[in-house]
Amino acid sequence: MNGNTPYAGLPGITQAGKRNAEDVPELSRAEKSALRRDVSAIAARTREFLPKEYIVDGDVHQGVAGPQARIAVQPPVGDPVSAGFTPEVEDLDLDEPFIDADEQAEVARGLAASAAFQVKQALQGSVTPTAR
């Protein structure tokens, strides 16, 4: 069964990311705070595009390959949609946002559009149009 896992192979070398534990980057407290600020800005901007029935949330966590950020939208019906980021820890500057303003706006618009589309897909055929 070992051949069916992403960890199969030679001892000390895994196929899942091919990184050792000491190679996985971690964010400082200030860097996590800055990344959370950017994720919160994207979530707030996404909320501006959607009615209050949509639930929008974001989080920052330490993944297997390093820090990861995610913004997710749960529409009133249909499947949730999300966007994720894996910041390059080596290129970080605390004076600059992790995710620039243009990318934040693009992600927020994309998430809102995808969430609205999920509702449309879920309701397809079950709602009779009132006009043509």
Side-chain angles (χ1 to χ4, degrees):
M1 291 296 290
N2 191 27
N4 293 336
T5 71
Y7 303 104
L10 299 173
I13 299 175
T14 64
Q15 300 302 318
K18 298 193 185 235
R19 290 185 171 197
N20 293 328
E22 53 275 350
D23 292 339
V24 177
E26 287 195 31
L27 295 177
S28 69
R29 189 172 287 197
E31 291 169 334
K32 276 186 186 178
S33 177
L35 184 56
R36 279 191 185 100
R37 183 184 60 235
D38 290 352
V39 168
S40 294
I42 294 171
R45 199 158 193 179
T46 304
R47 283 186 201 100
E48 291 174 6
F49 292 120
L50 296 168
K52 64 181 178 186
E53 292 83 14
Y54 290 74
I55 299 169
V56 182
D57 197 14
D59 71 336
V60 175
H61 62 278
Q62 184 68 26
V64 174
Q68 296 178 341
R70 182 180 51 173
I71 301 96
V73 179
Q74 173 65 57
V77 294
D79 296 324
V81 295
S82 65
F85 298 93
T86 304
E88 294 293 327
V89 177
E90 298 81 27
D91 300 334
L92 296 180
D93 181 5
L94 289 178
D95 296 330
E96 298 289 323
F98 280 81
I99 307 162
D100 65 35
D102 291 338
E103 191 173 359
Q104 288 181 18
E106 181 181 340
V107 170
R109 281 190 306 268
L111 279 170
S114 295
F117 184 70
Q118 287 298 320
V119 171
K120 182 178 178 180
Q121 289 292 96
L123 295 177
Q124 188 174 23
S126 64
V127 177
T128 306
T130 56
R132 289 188 183 230

